[in-house]
Each structure stands twice: as C-alpha cells, then as structure tokens.
Amino acid sequence: MKRFLVRSIIVSVSLFFIGWIVYSQVVPQYYHIIFPFIIIFFFLTTNIVHFYLLKIADKSMPKFSARFMVLSTLKMFFYLVIGIGYIVISNVNVKAFLINFLAAYVIYTIIEVAEISHVVKVKK
C-alpha cells in the first residue's frame, strides 16, 4: 500500500502542477473551481479501493479476480453517477469538467491496474 500511496501522491501533485500551468497560462478561460476537487476525489477513492483490493488479495487469490471485476464495475458506475450528478446540478463549464473528470479517471485507473497487476504477479 505504501508504494501505491507514494505513486498516487506523485501523480496527484503532478496533475495539480500541470493543471495550474495549463489553466493559468494556456487556457485560463476554461478553469473551473472544481478542478482541484476532482483530483482529490479520484485520489481518495482510488486509494480506498486499492486498500480494499489488497485486503482481498491477501485473503484469497482465487476469489480476487471476481471481486476485482465487481468492484471495478461498481466504482465505474459510482464515478458515472457523480459525473452525471454534477452535470445535472451545475451547467457551468461542463466541457471542462468532463475533460478533467475523464482524464483523471483514465490516469488513476491506469495507475491502479498497473499496481494491482504487480501485486497479483508477486502473490502467484
């Protein structure tokens, strides 16, 4: 968990820095106050889910694949509900929100899958 936590902190700080540069220098008209909260949201949910997946991997590797798929599907639907809920509630800069939300989803999912793959290889 420590390795994943360090990597996700590095990615989160990098995303904050890249966002700060892009939104202050390149496209300031598209900055939305929700941007930092998107990164914090994905950081927290990804780390919580990863912690739970590590607990599952420690208990039973044969059950891990099924639980991983179920948990990934539930997480994806949760993200979908959050995204749609925000769009319904707020009509401000929806395109910028969607781009930031989807980019964060892809980045954190790649990190999580890479780390889980590493854990599964080590456990076998």
Side-chain angles (χ1 to χ4, degrees):
M1 185 66 196
K2 182 179 177 183
R3 172 183 149 146
F4 182 75
L5 188 60
V6 168
R7 287 182 178 191
S8 62
I9 288 171
I10 290 169
V11 167
S12 298
V13 169
S14 299
L15 288 175
F16 276 119
F17 183 69
I18 291 167
W20 175 70
I21 290 173
V22 168
Y23 288 122
S24 67
Q25 304 297 322
V26 182
V27 287
Q29 68 274 19
Y30 291 112
Y31 176 75
H32 196 289
I33 192 70
I34 196 89
F35 173 71
F37 296 105
I38 291 172
I39 295 172
I40 293 168
F41 170 73
F42 277 98
F43 172 80
L44 291 175
T45 55
T46 302
N47 279 289
I48 290 168
V49 169
H50 186 73
F51 177 74
Y52 182 71
L53 287 172
L54 289 178
K55 284 188 163 245
I56 293 170
D58 283 342
K59 291 180 183 176
S60 172
M61 282 307 286
K63 294 180 182 179
F64 177 77
S65 295
R67 290 186 181 177
F68 174 76
M69 293 303 291
V70 168
L71 192 58
S72 295
T73 303
L74 291 174
K75 184 176 71 168
M76 186 173 43
F77 280 120
F78 175 67
Y79 289 159
L80 187 62
V81 167
I82 296 295
I84 291 172
Y86 178 81
I87 291 168
V88 167
I89 291 170
S90 175
N91 289 334
V92 180
N93 262 347
V94 172
K95 289 179 186 176
F97 169 78
L98 283 175
I99 290 170
N100 289 324
F101 196 81
L102 291 173
Y105 171 76
V106 168
I107 291 167
Y108 282 98
T109 300
I110 289 171
I111 293 168
E112 184 180 17
V113 169
E115 188 65 26
I116 287 296
S117 297
H118 174 74
V119 169
V120 169
K121 285 180 186 176
V122 169
K123 295 274 182 191
K124 286 184 177 183

Coordinates of all heavy atoms in Angstrom, one line a residue, residues 28-96:
P28 N -6.9 30.0 -19.5 CA -7.5 30.4 -18.3 C -9.0 30.5 -18.3 O -9.7 30.4 -17.3 CB -6.8 31.8 -18.0 CG -6.3 32.2 -19.3 CD -6.0 31.0 -20.1
Q29 N -9.5 30.7 -19.5 CA -11.0 30.9 -19.6 C -11.7 29.6 -19.3 O -12.9 29.6 -19.0 CB -11.4 31.4 -21.0 CG -11.2 30.4 -22.1 CD -9.8 30.5 -22.7 OE1 -8.8 31.0 -22.1 NE2 -9.6 30.0 -23.9
Y30 N -11.0 28.4 -19.3 CA -11.7 27.1 -19.1 C -11.5 26.6 -17.6 O -11.9 25.6 -17.3 CB -11.2 26.1 -20.0 CG -11.7 26.3 -21.4 CD1 -10.8 26.7 -22.5 CD2 -13.0 26.2 -21.8 CE1 -11.2 26.9 -23.7 CE2 -13.5 26.5 -23.0 CZ -12.5 26.8 -24.0 OH -13.0 27.1 -25.3
Y31 N -10.8 27.4 -16.8 CA -10.5 27.0 -15.4 C -11.9 26.9 -14.7 O -12.7 27.8 -14.8 CB -9.6 27.9 -14.7 CG -9.4 27.5 -13.3 CD1 -8.7 26.4 -12.9 CD2 -10.1 28.2 -12.2 CE1 -8.5 26.0 -11.6 CE2 -9.9 27.8 -10.9 CZ -9.2 26.7 -10.6 OH -9.0 26.3 -9.3
H32 N -12.0 25.9 -13.9 CA -13.2 25.7 -13.1 C -12.8 25.4 -11.7 O -11.9 24.6 -11.5 CB -14.1 24.6 -13.7 CG -15.5 24.6 -13.2 ND1 -15.8 24.2 -11.9 CD2 -16.7 24.9 -13.7 CE1 -17.1 24.3 -11.7 NE2 -17.6 24.7 -12.8
I33 N -13.4 26.0 -10.7 CA -13.0 25.8 -9.3 C -13.1 24.3 -8.9 O -12.4 24.0 -7.9 CB -13.9 26.7 -8.4 CG1 -13.4 26.8 -7.0 CG2 -15.4 26.2 -8.4 CD1 -12.1 27.6 -6.9
I34 N -13.8 23.5 -9.6 CA -13.9 22.1 -9.2 C -12.7 21.3 -9.6 O -12.5 20.2 -9.0 CB -15.2 21.5 -9.9 CG1 -15.6 20.2 -9.2 CG2 -15.0 21.2 -11.3 CD1 -16.5 20.3 -8.1
F35 N -11.8 21.8 -10.4 CA -10.6 21.0 -10.8 C -9.8 20.4 -9.7 O -9.5 19.2 -9.7 CB -9.7 21.9 -11.7 CG -8.4 21.2 -12.1 CD1 -8.4 20.1 -13.0 CD2 -7.2 21.6 -11.5 CE1 -7.2 19.5 -13.3 CE2 -6.0 21.0 -11.8 CZ -6.0 19.9 -12.7
P36 N -9.4 21.1 -8.7 CA -8.6 20.5 -7.6 C -9.5 19.4 -6.8 O -8.9 18.4 -6.4 CB -8.3 21.7 -6.6 CG -8.6 22.9 -7.4 CD -9.5 22.6 -8.5
F37 N -10.7 19.6 -6.7 CA -11.6 18.7 -6.0 C -11.7 17.4 -6.8 O -11.9 16.3 -6.2 CB -13.0 19.3 -5.7 CG -12.9 20.4 -4.8 CD1 -13.0 21.7 -5.3 CD2 -12.6 20.2 -3.4 CE1 -12.9 22.8 -4.4 CE2 -12.5 21.3 -2.6 CZ -12.7 22.6 -3.0
I38 N -11.7 17.5 -8.1 CA -11.7 16.2 -9.0 C -10.5 15.4 -8.7 O -10.6 14.2 -8.5 CB -11.7 16.6 -10.5 CG1 -13.1 17.2 -10.8 CG2 -11.5 15.4 -11.3 CD1 -13.2 17.8 -12.2
I39 N -9.3 16.0 -8.6 CA -8.1 15.3 -8.3 C -8.1 14.7 -6.9 O -7.8 13.5 -6.7 CB -6.9 16.2 -8.5 CG1 -6.7 16.6 -9.9 CG2 -5.6 15.5 -8.0 CD1 -5.7 17.6 -10.2
I40 N -8.6 15.4 -5.9 CA -8.7 14.9 -4.6 C -9.7 13.8 -4.5 O -9.4 12.8 -3.8 CB -9.1 16.1 -3.6 CG1 -8.0 17.1 -3.5 CG2 -9.5 15.5 -2.2 CD1 -8.4 18.4 -2.8
F41 N -10.8 13.9 -5.2 CA -11.8 12.9 -5.2 C -11.3 11.5 -5.8 O -11.4 10.5 -5.2 CB -13.0 13.3 -6.1 CG -14.0 12.3 -6.4 CD1 -14.9 11.8 -5.4 CD2 -14.1 11.7 -7.7 CE1 -15.8 10.8 -5.7 CE2 -15.0 10.7 -8.0 CZ -15.9 10.3 -7.0
F42 N -10.6 11.6 -6.9 CA -10.0 10.4 -7.5 C -8.9 9.9 -6.7 O -8.7 8.6 -6.6 CB -9.6 10.7 -9.0 CG -10.7 10.6 -9.9 CD1 -11.3 11.7 -10.4 CD2 -11.1 9.3 -10.4 CE1 -12.4 11.6 -11.3 CE2 -12.2 9.2 -11.3 CZ -12.8 10.4 -11.7
F43 N -8.1 10.7 -6.1 CA -7.0 10.3 -5.2 C -7.6 9.4 -4.0 O -7.1 8.3 -3.7 CB -6.2 11.5 -4.7 CG -5.2 11.1 -3.6 CD1 -4.0 10.6 -4.0 CD2 -5.5 11.3 -2.3 CE1 -3.0 10.2 -3.0 CE2 -4.6 11.0 -1.3 CZ -3.3 10.4 -1.7
L44 N -8.6 10.0 -3.4 CA -9.2 9.3 -2.2 C -9.9 8.0 -2.6 O -9.6 7.0 -2.0 CB -10.2 10.2 -1.5 CG -9.5 11.4 -0.8 CD1 -10.6 12.3 -0.2 CD2 -8.6 11.0 0.3
T45 N -10.7 8.1 -3.6 CA -11.5 6.8 -4.0 C -10.5 5.8 -4.5 O -10.7 4.6 -4.1 CB -12.6 7.1 -5.0 OG1 -12.0 7.8 -6.2 CG2 -13.7 8.0 -4.5
T46 N -9.5 6.1 -5.3 CA -8.6 5.1 -5.8 C -7.8 4.5 -4.7 O -7.6 3.3 -4.7 CB -7.6 5.8 -6.8 OG1 -8.4 6.3 -7.9 CG2 -6.7 4.8 -7.4
N47 N -7.4 5.3 -3.7 CA -6.6 4.7 -2.6 C -7.5 3.8 -1.7 O -7.0 2.8 -1.2 CB -5.9 5.8 -1.8 CG -4.7 6.2 -2.5 OD1 -3.7 5.5 -2.5 ND2 -4.7 7.4 -3.1
I48 N -8.7 4.2 -1.5 CA -9.6 3.4 -0.7 C -9.9 2.1 -1.4 O -9.8 1.0 -0.7 CB -10.9 4.2 -0.4 CG1 -10.6 5.3 0.6 CG2 -12.0 3.2 0.2 CD1 -11.8 6.3 0.7
V49 N -10.2 2.1 -2.6 CA -10.5 0.9 -3.4 C -9.2 0.0 -3.5 O -9.3 -1.2 -3.3 CB -11.0 1.2 -4.8 CG1 -11.0 0.0 -5.7 CG2 -12.4 1.8 -4.7
H50 N -8.1 0.6 -3.7 CA -6.8 -0.2 -3.7 C -6.6 -0.9 -2.4 O -6.1 -2.0 -2.4 CB -5.6 0.7 -4.1 CG -4.4 0.0 -4.3 ND1 -4.2 -0.8 -5.5 CD2 -3.3 -0.1 -3.6 CE1 -3.0 -1.3 -5.4 NE2 -2.4 -1.0 -4.3
F51 N -6.8 -0.2 -1.3 CA -6.6 -0.8 0.0 C -7.5 -2.0 0.2 O -7.1 -3.0 0.7 CB -6.9 0.3 1.1 CG -6.8 -0.2 2.5 CD1 -5.5 -0.5 3.1 CD2 -7.9 -0.5 3.3 CE1 -5.4 -1.0 4.4 CE2 -7.8 -1.0 4.5 CZ -6.6 -1.2 5.1
Y52 N -8.7 -1.8 -0.2 CA -9.7 -3.0 -0.1 C -9.2 -4.1 -1.0 O -9.3 -5.3 -0.6 CB -11.1 -2.5 -0.5 CG -12.1 -3.6 -0.4 CD1 -12.5 -4.1 0.8 CD2 -12.7 -4.1 -1.6 CE1 -13.5 -5.1 0.9 CE2 -13.6 -5.1 -1.5 CZ -14.0 -5.6 -0.3 OH -15.0 -6.6 -0.2
L53 N -8.8 -3.8 -2.2 CA -8.3 -4.9 -3.1 C -7.1 -5.6 -2.6 O -7.0 -6.8 -2.8 CB -8.0 -4.3 -4.5 CG -9.2 -3.9 -5.4 CD1 -8.7 -3.1 -6.6 CD2 -10.0 -5.1 -5.8
L54 N -6.2 -4.9 -1.9 CA -5.1 -5.6 -1.3 C -5.5 -6.5 -0.2 O -4.9 -7.6 0.0 CB -4.1 -4.5 -0.7 CG -3.3 -3.7 -1.8 CD1 -2.4 -2.7 -1.1 CD2 -2.5 -4.7 -2.7
K55 N -6.5 -6.1 0.6 CA -7.1 -7.0 1.6 C -7.6 -8.3 1.0 O -7.5 -9.3 1.5 CB -8.1 -6.3 2.4 CG -7.5 -5.3 3.4 CD -8.6 -4.8 4.3 CE -8.0 -4.2 5.5 NZ -8.3 -4.8 6.8
I56 N -8.4 -8.1 -0.1 CA -8.9 -9.3 -0.8 C -7.8 -10.2 -1.3 O -7.9 -11.4 -1.2 CB -9.8 -8.8 -2.0 CG1 -11.1 -8.1 -1.5 CG2 -10.3 -10.0 -2.8 CD1 -11.9 -7.4 -2.6
A57 N -6.8 -9.6 -1.9 CA -5.7 -10.4 -2.4 C -4.9 -11.1 -1.3 O -4.5 -12.2 -1.6 CB -4.7 -9.5 -3.2
D58 N -4.9 -10.6 -0.1 CA -4.2 -11.3 1.0 C -5.0 -12.5 1.4 O -4.5 -13.5 1.9 CB -4.0 -10.3 2.1 CG -2.8 -9.4 1.9 OD1 -2.0 -9.7 1.1 OD2 -2.7 -8.4 2.6
K59 N -6.3 -12.4 1.4 CA -7.2 -13.5 1.9 C -7.3 -14.6 0.9 O -7.1 -15.8 1.3 CB -8.6 -12.9 2.2 CG -8.6 -12.0 3.4 CD -10.0 -11.5 3.7 CE -10.0 -10.5 4.8 NZ -11.3 -9.9 5.0
S60 N -7.7 -14.3 -0.3 CA -8.0 -15.4 -1.3 C -7.7 -15.0 -2.7 O -8.5 -14.2 -3.3 CB -9.5 -15.8 -1.1 OG -9.8 -16.8 -2.1
M61 N -6.7 -15.5 -3.3 CA -6.4 -15.1 -4.7 C -7.4 -15.7 -5.7 O -7.7 -15.1 -6.6 CB -4.9 -15.6 -5.0 CG -3.9 -14.7 -4.5 SD -4.1 -12.9 -5.0 CE -3.7 -13.0 -6.7
P62 N -7.9 -16.9 -5.4 CA -8.9 -17.4 -6.4 C -10.2 -16.5 -6.5 O -10.8 -16.4 -7.6 CB -9.3 -18.8 -5.9 CG -8.1 -19.2 -5.1 CD -7.5 -18.0 -4.5
K63 N -10.6 -15.9 -5.4 CA -11.8 -15.1 -5.4 C -11.4 -13.7 -5.8 O -12.3 -12.8 -6.1 CB -12.4 -15.0 -4.0 CG -12.9 -16.3 -3.5 CD -13.5 -16.2 -2.2 CE -14.1 -17.5 -1.6 NZ -14.6 -17.4 -0.3
F64 N -10.1 -13.3 -5.9 CA -9.7 -12.0 -6.2 C -10.2 -11.5 -7.6 O -10.7 -10.4 -7.7 CB -8.2 -11.9 -6.2 CG -7.7 -10.5 -6.6 CD1 -7.7 -9.5 -5.7 CD2 -7.1 -10.3 -7.8 CE1 -7.3 -8.3 -6.0 CE2 -6.7 -9.1 -8.2 CZ -6.7 -8.0 -7.2
S65 N -10.1 -12.3 -8.6 CA -10.5 -11.8 -10.0 C -11.9 -11.4 -10.0 O -12.3 -10.4 -10.6 CB -10.2 -12.9 -11.0 OG -8.9 -13.2 -11.1
A66 N -12.8 -12.3 -9.5 CA -14.3 -11.9 -9.5 C -14.5 -10.7 -8.7 O -15.3 -9.8 -9.1 CB -15.1 -13.1 -9.0
R67 N -14.0 -10.6 -7.5 CA -14.2 -9.4 -6.7 C -13.6 -8.1 -7.3 O -14.2 -7.1 -7.2 CB -13.7 -9.6 -5.3 CG -14.5 -10.7 -4.5 CD -14.0 -10.8 -3.1 NE -14.9 -11.8 -2.5 CZ -14.7 -12.2 -1.2 NH1 -13.7 -11.6 -0.5 NH2 -15.5 -13.1 -0.7
F68 N -12.5 -8.3 -7.9 CA -11.8 -7.1 -8.6 C -12.8 -6.6 -9.7 O -13.0 -5.4 -9.9 CB -10.5 -7.5 -9.2 CG -9.9 -6.5 -10.0 CD1 -9.3 -5.4 -9.4 CD2 -9.9 -6.5 -11.4 CE1 -8.7 -4.4 -10.2 CE2 -9.3 -5.6 -12.2 CZ -8.7 -4.5 -11.6
M69 N -13.3 -7.5 -10.5 CA -14.2 -7.1 -11.6 C -15.5 -6.5 -11.1 O -15.9 -5.4 -11.6 CB -14.6 -8.3 -12.5 CG -13.4 -8.9 -13.3 SD -12.6 -7.6 -14.3 CE -13.9 -7.4 -15.5
V70 N -16.1 -7.0 -10.0 CA -17.3 -6.5 -9.4 C -17.0 -5.1 -8.8 O -17.7 -4.1 -9.1 CB -17.9 -7.4 -8.3 CG1 -18.9 -6.7 -7.5 CG2 -18.4 -8.7 -9.0
L71 N -15.9 -5.0 -8.1 CA -15.5 -3.7 -7.5 C -15.2 -2.6 -8.6 O -15.6 -1.5 -8.4 CB -14.3 -3.9 -6.6 CG -14.0 -2.7 -5.7 CD1 -15.2 -2.4 -4.8 CD2 -12.8 -3.0 -4.8
S72 N -14.5 -3.0 -9.6 CA -14.2 -2.1 -10.7 C -15.5 -1.6 -11.4 O -15.6 -0.4 -11.7 CB -13.3 -2.8 -11.8 OG -12.1 -3.1 -11.2
T73 N -16.5 -2.5 -11.6 CA -17.7 -2.1 -12.2 C -18.5 -1.2 -11.3 O -19.0 -0.1 -11.8 CB -18.6 -3.4 -12.5 OG1 -17.8 -4.2 -13.4 CG2 -19.9 -3.0 -13.2
L74 N -18.6 -1.5 -10.0 CA -19.2 -0.6 -9.1 C -18.6 0.8 -9.0 O -19.3 1.8 -8.9 CB -19.3 -1.2 -7.7 CG -20.2 -2.5 -7.5 CD1 -20.0 -3.1 -6.1 CD2 -21.6 -2.1 -7.8
K75 N -17.3 0.8 -9.0 CA -16.5 2.0 -9.0 C -16.8 2.9 -10.2 O -17.0 4.1 -10.1 CB -15.0 1.8 -8.8 CG -14.2 3.0 -8.7 CD -12.7 2.7 -8.5 CE -12.2 2.2 -9.8 NZ -10.7 2.1 -9.8
M76 N -16.9 2.2 -11.4 CA -17.1 2.9 -12.6 C -18.5 3.5 -12.6 O -18.7 4.7 -13.0 CB -17.0 2.0 -13.8 CG -17.1 2.7 -15.1 SD -16.8 1.7 -16.6 CE -17.6 0.2 -16.3
F77 N -19.5 2.8 -12.1 CA -20.9 3.3 -12.0 C -21.0 4.4 -11.0 O -21.7 5.4 -11.2 CB -21.9 2.2 -11.7 CG -22.3 1.4 -12.8 CD1 -22.0 0.0 -12.9 CD2 -22.9 2.0 -14.0 CE1 -22.4 -0.8 -14.0 CE2 -23.2 1.2 -15.1 CZ -23.0 -0.2 -15.1
F78 N -20.2 4.3 -9.9 CA -20.2 5.4 -8.9 C -19.6 6.7 -9.5 O -20.2 7.8 -9.4 CB -19.3 5.0 -7.7 CG -19.1 6.0 -6.7 CD1 -20.1 6.5 -5.9 CD2 -17.8 6.6 -6.5 CE1 -19.9 7.5 -5.0 CE2 -17.6 7.6 -5.6 CZ -18.7 8.0 -4.8
Y79 N -18.5 6.5 -10.3 CA -18.0 7.7 -11.0 C -19.0 8.3 -12.0 O -19.1 9.5 -12.1 CB -16.7 7.3 -11.7 CG -15.5 7.0 -10.8 CD1 -14.4 6.3 -11.3 CD2 -15.4 7.5 -9.5 CE1 -13.3 6.0 -10.5 CE2 -14.3 7.3 -8.7 CZ -13.3 6.5 -9.2 OH -12.2 6.3 -8.4
L80 N -19.7 7.4 -12.7 CA -20.7 7.9 -13.7 C -21.8 8.6 -13.0 O -22.2 9.7 -13.5 CB -21.2 6.6 -14.4 CG -22.2 6.9 -15.6 CD1 -21.5 7.7 -16.7 CD2 -22.7 5.6 -16.1
V81 N -22.3 8.2 -11.8 CA -23.3 8.8 -11.1 C -22.8 10.2 -10.6 O -23.5 11.2 -10.7 CB -23.8 8.0 -9.9 CG1 -24.6 8.8 -8.9 CG2 -24.6 6.8 -10.4
I82 N -21.6 10.3 -10.1 CA -21.0 11.5 -9.6 C -20.9 12.5 -10.8 O -21.3 13.7 -10.7 CB -19.6 11.3 -9.0 CG1 -19.8 10.5 -7.7 CG2 -18.9 12.6 -8.7 CD1 -20.5 11.1 -6.6
G83 N -20.4 12.0 -11.9 CA -20.2 12.9 -13.1 C -21.6 13.4 -13.6 O -21.7 14.6 -13.9
I84 N -22.5 12.5 -13.8 CA -23.8 12.9 -14.3 C -24.5 13.8 -13.3 O -25.2 14.8 -13.7 CB -24.7 11.7 -14.7 CG1 -24.1 11.0 -15.9 CG2 -26.2 12.1 -14.9 CD1 -24.8 9.7 -16.2
G85 N -24.4 13.5 -12.0 CA -25.0 14.3 -11.0 C -24.5 15.8 -11.0 O -25.2 16.7 -10.9
Y86 N -23.2 15.9 -11.2 CA -22.6 17.2 -11.2 C -23.1 18.0 -12.5 O -23.4 19.2 -12.4 CB -21.0 17.2 -11.3 CG -20.4 18.5 -11.4 CD1 -20.3 19.3 -10.2 CD2 -20.1 19.1 -12.6 CE1 -19.8 20.6 -10.3 CE2 -19.6 20.3 -12.7 CZ -19.4 21.1 -11.6 OH -18.9 22.4 -11.7
I87 N -23.2 17.3 -13.6 CA -23.6 18.0 -14.8 C -25.1 18.4 -14.7 O -25.4 19.5 -15.1 CB -23.4 17.0 -16.0 CG1 -21.9 16.8 -16.3 CG2 -24.1 17.5 -17.3 CD1 -21.6 15.7 -17.3
V88 N -25.9 17.6 -14.0 CA -27.3 18.0 -13.9 C -27.4 19.2 -12.9 O -28.2 20.1 -13.2 CB -28.1 16.8 -13.3 CG1 -29.5 17.2 -12.8 CG2 -28.2 15.7 -14.4
I89 N -26.6 19.2 -11.9 CA -26.7 20.3 -10.9 C -26.1 21.6 -11.4 O -26.6 22.6 -11.2 CB -26.0 19.8 -9.6 CG1 -26.8 18.7 -8.9 CG2 -25.8 21.0 -8.6 CD1 -26.1 18.1 -7.7
S90 N -24.9 21.5 -12.1 CA -24.2 22.7 -12.5 C -24.1 22.7 -14.0 O -23.6 21.7 -14.6 CB -22.8 22.7 -11.8 OG -22.1 23.8 -12.3
N91 N -24.4 23.8 -14.6 CA -24.3 23.9 -16.1 C -23.1 24.8 -16.4 O -22.9 25.2 -17.6 CB -25.5 24.5 -16.7 CG -26.7 23.5 -16.7 OD1 -26.5 22.3 -16.7 ND2 -27.9 24.1 -16.6
V92 N -22.2 25.0 -15.5 CA -21.0 25.9 -15.7 C -19.9 25.1 -16.2 O -19.5 24.1 -15.5 CB -20.7 26.6 -14.4 CG1 -19.5 27.6 -14.6 CG2 -21.9 27.4 -13.8
N93 N -19.3 25.4 -17.3 CA -18.1 24.8 -17.8 C -18.2 23.3 -17.9 O -17.3 22.6 -17.4 CB -16.9 25.2 -17.1 CG -16.1 26.3 -17.7 OD1 -16.3 26.6 -18.9 ND2 -15.2 26.9 -17.0
V94 N -19.3 22.8 -18.4 CA -19.5 21.3 -18.4 C -18.4 20.6 -19.2 O -17.9 19.5 -18.9 CB -20.9 21.0 -19.0 CG1 -21.1 19.5 -19.2 CG2 -22.0 21.5 -18.0
K95 N -18.0 21.2 -20.4 CA -17.0 20.6 -21.2 C -15.7 20.4 -20.4 O -15.0 19.4 -20.5 CB -16.8 21.3 -22.5 CG -17.9 21.2 -23.4 CD -17.7 22.0 -24.7 CE -18.9 22.0 -25.6 NZ -18.7 22.9 -26.8
A96 N -15.3 21.5 -19.8 CA -14.0 21.5 -19.0 C -14.1 20.4 -17.9 O -13.2 19.7 -17.6 CB -13.7 22.9 -18.4

